[in-house]
Amino acid sequence: MDADRSETGRRPSLVPVQPRTALYRPRRRRPVPAHAPLQNPHTPHNPLDDERAHLTASRAALRAMRADAEALDIGDVTANWVNAEVLQSEIDLRIKSLADLAHAPLFFGRLDFLDPYGAAPPPSADGPKNGDGNRHGHGHAHKDGDGHGTEGHTFYIGRRHVHDPDGDPMVIDWRAPVSQPFYRASKKDPQGVALRRRFGYTGGELTAYEDEHLTDPAEAEKSSTLLQREIERPRVGPMRDIVATIQPEQDTIVRASIDGTVCVQGAPGTGKTAVGLHRVAYLLYTHRDRLARTGTLVVGPNRSFLHYIEQVLPALGELDVKQSTVEDLVAHPQLTVRAHDSAEAAGIKGDARMARVLRRAVRSGVTVPAEPCVVVRGSRRWRVPAYELEEIVRELLDRDMRYGAARDALPQRIAHHVLVRMEQAGEAPDDRVQDAVARNPAVKAVVKTVWPLVDPAKLVLRLLSDADFLAEQADGILTPEEQRAVLWAKPARGVKTAPWSAADAVLVDEASDLISRTPSLGHVVLDEAQDLSPMQYRAVGRRCTTGSATVLGDIAQGTTPWATAGWAEALGHLGKPDSVVEELTQGFRVPRDVIAFASRLLPAIAPELTEATSVRESPGDFSVLRFAPESLTDAVVAACREALEREGSIGLIAADSRMADLSAALRAAGLATLGPGEETTEDSRLTLVPATLAKGLEYDHVVLDEPAAIVGGEPDERTGLRRLYVSLTRAVSGLTVLHAAPLPPELADRSPSLGS
Ligand SMILES: Nc1ncnc2c1ncn2[C@@H]1O[C@H](COP(=O)(O)OP(=O)(O)OP(=O)(O)O)[C@@H](O)[C@H]1O
């Protein structure tokens, strides 16, 4: 029975902790779980005491689970050391995932169902296939809050499943179906939930709770103060999980079926990255075995960004998800990227037409056999005439096979023709004879000549070095001007020394896949997808051909010359044309005034998109200040110093060309700085961020230096304005823009009260 409800009735929306001295009585007994709360009929009762007792008991239970895992003796169950190693590493992961993390409270919510859970149909049919999820609700029974005596079930919702020594759940994993109403239930659709309780923590201590009685018609719908507090909290350190406050529209994406690819278009700060990471955690929980076999991958724009997000999944108990940039994904052991393409060359190399050029080039060495193939076995000679060999080759070329697979099939096909002749001559050859014929030197010689081995890096090197070869392969696909633009200035001598660019590495990756199929993962999350070229989409797509993807991006933040113009086309290049496109519009990061200012750029950079709303209540500090050119740098340093007087992280974002000057000025002023993605701490909170690396990151207060220089740092104006849009939308609670040059007219014209 859950006595706190029947005793206390309805609560104000946020209940602060009572002073410990007044109500907290030390308990001598082992902490008691919430289904049998401590209560004293003679003293006023504080439900937080029961909730804290449940927290203490849950922590003890988690420690016991960890101790059990640590005590496992695998000596008897493993037949050999390989098995032992595998099993031990799984156990080590399990032990790690059972850590009680001080900064991540064990549970953050509670659901009291009206009826015993399982009596009504479960909220979601998409239940876990395995894992710790508790599908049929052995939660703690409670009595209905109005004292009517209806027995329902209470569940505590947390980051991981915790059970007591009898196996009864103390905390339910947020990903289990039973937890779903915590995110989705509403007064309109209570989903069988009588009470939803959210918990507030301060420094790891449970300090507050907030109740919603979803089936009580007298209680008005209200916004959550705890949610608001979480959104408004100052940011320090790397990205954190949002499990306690996932919003319904985000939850729909997080829990979407693994079978389809989901694409999310969302304005800055709408939680795309957060949603993508939580989706991986959800899919791993729901399809653990399948994904353990096939693997999962998160693709982000650069290392700083990956570093910023790398702690979210481990905090959710998921330690086994690979993270990579597209460049890492297509890295080739012999190839070093050391050159930069012009925007024109990179655009052509990233165009999907290059896939057709490469396909032709890979097959360009296949020749029509001119001579018959003569196989000598014992005293007999078997002859496959040239026209038959040609038929075999043509048939293989017509089939949708990888070049390498077709090459492997060719000797068997020739051998088959030899065997047909043997049978016609009255012999009865079996499979072993066919294999022997396929390995015959005469057959091997034919294969070598008509279907030569292709090395993908050497092939691309030849395409980019040899104008005649390129002209032949790109004929009718690339114009002569385009061909000239992609050719290297000087032909390269060898793979190791060639001036490879990032786009060239993608071409090599495509060629490799044309030769032998790239293995597919179970699920890929692709963040900041709007910046990928069609050829990069293809590179990511071939890594999830048999799996699915979550594609996250914002067309307005596309800052590459080949940035995605529309999702339908991008998803086509990814090989997932039937994906659902969802839109997130509620902004959790950027204050209202700041997003309104940044959104003035939208008509110029992405006219089809609507401005995001901001769910942050505090308007934030926002100022635009103009200075004489000679005093701008000093003013920026002063603005950083002032920002450091507040709580939270500070990001100084500036054009890449301003980095050296600003860095020197900050050093001279005695202000230490971090690089983007480096962890901010209480002592070290100022990060110097080149505008080109700002994407995906956020800082409590942003000092933005010289917008015109940020725009001018890009090859074209639209890209420049998009870069500025990204830079303007990194601020969580305050933005100070400092400039000497006029603001771009798209910003300045509409802000007569601001700037100069
Ligand atoms: N439901 C939520 N509850 C609390 N905080 C949230 C929620 N959703 C997002 N946030 C926070 O809002 C901030 C922005 O989220 P995120 O970085 O995922 O947005 P984004 O859409 O990827 O932004 P960008 O387009 O700029 O990369 C983060 O601090 C994130 O933790």
Side-chain angles (χ1 to χ4, degrees):
M1 184 177 121
D2 189 4
D4 57 313
R5 300 191 61 227
S6 48
E7 272 190 14
T8 56
R10 304 284 182 262
R11 292 269 154 194
S13 69
L14 183 62
V15 186
V17 63
Q18 305 289 328
R20 272 183 157 233
T21 44
L23 281 170
Y24 185 73
R25 291 178 301 117
R27 289 167 190 150
R28 254 170 268 119
R29 285 183 295 151
R30 200 175 136 255
V32 182
H35 56 294
L38 280 180
Q39 38 174 321
N40 179 340
H42 306 297
T43 53
H45 185 74
N46 180 5
L48 269 178
D49 286 345
D50 296 330
E51 305 296 21
R52 284 188 184 127
H54 189 72
L55 180 62
T56 311
S58 304
R59 289 193 133 143
L62 181 67
R63 275 197 301 279
M65 286 166 69
R66 192 175 152 109
D68 282 352
E70 280 166 346
L72 274 178
D73 180 3
I74 58 169
D76 291 346
V77 291
T78 47
N80 57 46
W81 74 268
V82 179
N83 283 358
E85 289 285 305
V86 171
L87 194 56
Q88 192 55 51
S89 82
E90 276 174 19
I91 292 172
D92 290 346
L93 271 184
R94 166 109 179 125
I95 293 169
K96 246 187 180 174
S97 75
L98 289 171
D100 187 3
L101 304 171
H103 61 275
L106 213 46
F107 58 77
F108 46 79
R110 177 179 137 176
L111 290 178
D112 289 2
F113 283 90
L114 284 167
D115 300 309
Y117 185 77
S124 158
D126 190 14
K129 306 293 179 277
N130 53 34
D132 293 332
N134 181 279
R135 180 143 191 166
H136 295 294
H138 303 292
H140 307 303
H142 73 268
K143 224 172 188 162
D144 176 273
D146 302 322
H148 295 145
T150 320
E151 291 291 317
H153 272 151
T154 292
F155 294 98
Y156 286 82
I157 316 297
R159 285 180 172 71
R160 67 210 57 199
H161 176 92
V162 180
H163 58 75
D164 66 14
D166 297 330
D168 283 338
M170 309 277 292
V171 179
I172 298 282
D173 196 300
W174 63 279
R175 299 166 287 188
V178 69
S179 307
Q180 186 174 308
F182 185 75
Y183 303 104
R184 302 244 193 120
S186 63
K187 293 215 93 166
K188 254 197 214 124
D189 177 19
Q191 303 186 3
V193 175
L195 169 80
R196 172 166 51 205
R197 178 168 286 179
R198 296 177 198 276
F199 295 109
Y201 288 80
T202 314
E205 288 276 309
L206 207 175
T207 49
Y209 73 89
E210 188 180 70
D211 283 353
E212 285 168 276
H213 298 89
L214 297 180
T215 49
D216 180 355
E219 189 179 276
E221 191 120 32
K222 52 189 178 237
S223 64
S224 164
T225 316
L226 286 174
L227 169 64
Q228 206 56 43
R229 201 200 271 175
E230 172 59 19
I231 293 166
E232 311 263 340
R233 87 188 142 78
R235 311 297 211 269
V236 187
M239 189 172 195
R240 295 209 315 211
D241 70 65
I242 58 162
V243 266
T245 52
I246 295 173
Q247 294 303 287
E249 67 276 16
Q250 296 177 324
D251 192 63
T252 310
I253 300 167
V254 168
R255 289 178 203 252
S257 158
I258 193 173
D259 297 324
T261 287
V262 183
C263 170
V264 184
Q265 157 64 43
T270 49
K272 298 181 294 296
T273 301
V275 164
L277 294 172
H278 287 72
R279 175 155 170 69
V280 180
Y282 170 79
L283 293 176
L284 280 167
Y285 173 86
T286 313
H287 305 280
R288 174 102 38 218
D289 289 347
R290 175 166 157 191
L291 291 177
R293 271 196 319 275
T294 50
T296 45
L297 173 72
V298 174
V299 181
N302 55 55
R303 297 254 164 87
S304 331
F305 173 83
L306 293 178
H307 193 55
Y308 168 64
I309 64 164
E310 74 190 354
Q311 291 180 30
V312 175
L313 284 166
L316 298 174
E318 297 303 344
L319 306 163
D320 221 10
V321 180
K322 275 185 262 143
Q323 300 191 344
S324 159
T325 60
V326 177
E327 286 73 26
D328 296 337
L329 212 56
V330 299
H332 183 284
Q334 281 147 23
L335 182 157
T336 312
V337 172
R338 56 166 71 93
H340 277 286
D341 281 312
S342 67
E344 186 195 6
I348 301 163
K349 289 175 180 180
D351 192 296
R353 288 175 299 161
M354 283 308 291
R356 284 164 52 208
V357 176
L358 284 166
R359 188 178 157 83
R360 215 187 254 177
V362 163
R363 293 153 161 249
S364 63
V366 175
T367 49
V368 174
E371 302 288 329
C373 175
V374 181
V375 175
V376 181
R377 279 179 63 82
S379 58
R380 308 233 23 195
R381 292 161 63 87
W382 307 98
R383 190 170 178 277
V384 183
Y387 74 88
E388 267 185 38
L389 292 176
E390 184 179 338
E391 267 169 30
I392 297 171
V393 169
R394 290 207 186 281
E395 196 241 336
L396 285 174
L397 280 175
D398 286 346
R399 291 191 50 181
D400 189 22
M401 274 173 103
R402 293 293 190 281
Y403 183 85
R407 189 174 195 274
D408 292 344
L410 183 56
Q412 287 289 346
R413 300 285 167 96
I414 299 173
H416 176 74
H417 281 249
V418 172
L419 258 71
V420 170
R421 285 185 165 65
M422 288 177 170
E423 280 163 0
Q424 283 165 352
E427 293 192 10
D430 58 15
D431 288 353
R432 276 171 306 176
V433 177
Q434 176 155 347
D435 287 346
V437 174
R439 287 195 302 273
N440 185 285
V443 175
K444 281 188 179 169
V446 172
V447 173
K448 200 170 162 197
T449 328
V450 305
W451 206 286
L453 268 180
V454 176
D455 177 285
K458 284 187 188 150
L459 180 85
V460 176
L461 180 143
R462 188 174 166 205
L463 265 181
L464 301 177
S465 299
D466 179 342
D468 294 339
F469 183 59
L470 178 65
E472 221 173 284
Q473 308 314 322
D475 184 36
I477 304 176
L478 300 181
T479 64
E481 294 76 42
E482 287 173 325
Q483 293 173 27
R484 263 194 298 281
V486 299
L487 276 171
W488 284 327
K490 259 202 328 215
R493 292 244 179 98
V495 169
K496 288 221 162 106
T497 52
W500 298 108
S501 68
D504 299 337
V506 181
L507 297 179
V508 175
D509 189 70
E510 175 89 24
S512 303
D513 186 71
L514 287 163
I515 295 160
S516 65
R517 190 184 295 281
T518 309
S520 168
L521 295 145
H523 192 81
V524 174
V525 171
L526 176 59
D527 205 351
E528 305 291 357
Q530 73 281 344
D531 282 331
L532 267 58
S533 69
M535 289 300 281
Q536 287 177 317
Y537 275 114
R538 292 173 61 89
V540 176
R542 58 182 155 262
R543 285 166 173 86
C544 54
T545 37
T546 57
S548 54
T550 302
V551 178
L552 311 161
D554 180 10
I555 300 282
Q557 295 185 65
T559 48
T560 48
W562 47 83
T564 306
W567 290 115
E569 191 197 321
L571 291 164
H573 294 310
L574 191 73
K576 309 281 183 196
D578 302 325
S579 315
V580 182
V581 182
E582 303 276 356
E583 194 170 2
L584 291 176
T585 53
Q586 272 201 339
F588 294 87
R589 176 196 301 135
V590 191
R592 222 171 302 130
D593 290 353
V594 176
I595 195 78
F597 183 68
S599 298
R600 290 173 186 169
L601 296 173
L602 280 178
I605 60 175
E608 66 287 357
L609 295 182
T610 43
E611 187 177 319
T613 57
S614 173
V615 300
R616 297 176 65 82
E617 273 171 10
S618 77
D621 305 317
F622 173 48
S623 46
V624 180
L625 308 164
R626 187 165 192 181
F627 295 88
E630 60 282 8
S631 43
L632 180 64
T633 302
D634 287 346
V636 169
V637 173
C640 291
R641 200 186 287 286
E642 197 187 315
L644 279 166
E645 279 160 24
R646 304 174 224 202
E647 250 189 304
S649 56
I650 321 294
L652 165 56
I653 306 182
D656 296 29
S657 60
R658 290 272 293 152
M659 284 295 113
D661 278 1
L662 289 171
S663 176
L666 289 166
R667 222 176 309 118
L671 297 181
T673 54
L674 300 161
E678 262 185 88
E679 206 162 298
T680 50
T681 62
E682 287 301 336
D683 305 325
S684 196
R685 296 183 290 128
L686 173 60
T687 307
L688 180 56
V689 194
T692 48
L693 286 183
K695 202 168 279 182
L697 305 179
E698 67 184 16
Y699 300 92
D700 222 33
H701 195 95
V702 169
V703 177
L704 188 87
D705 170 83
E706 197 62 295
I710 292 177
V711 178
E714 299 297 333
D716 63 275
E717 194 177 24
R718 193 189 67 169
T719 308
L721 290 173
R722 286 179 165 190
R723 183 74 71 195
L724 179 60
Y725 180 71
V726 172
S727 305
L728 286 168
T729 51
R730 301 303 99 198
V732 174
S733 59
L735 171 69
T736 310
V737 179
L738 298 98
H739 67 111
L743 290 176
E746 290 79 0
L747 281 178
D749 281 350
R750 305 210 211 160
S751 55
S753 61
L754 299 169
S756 52

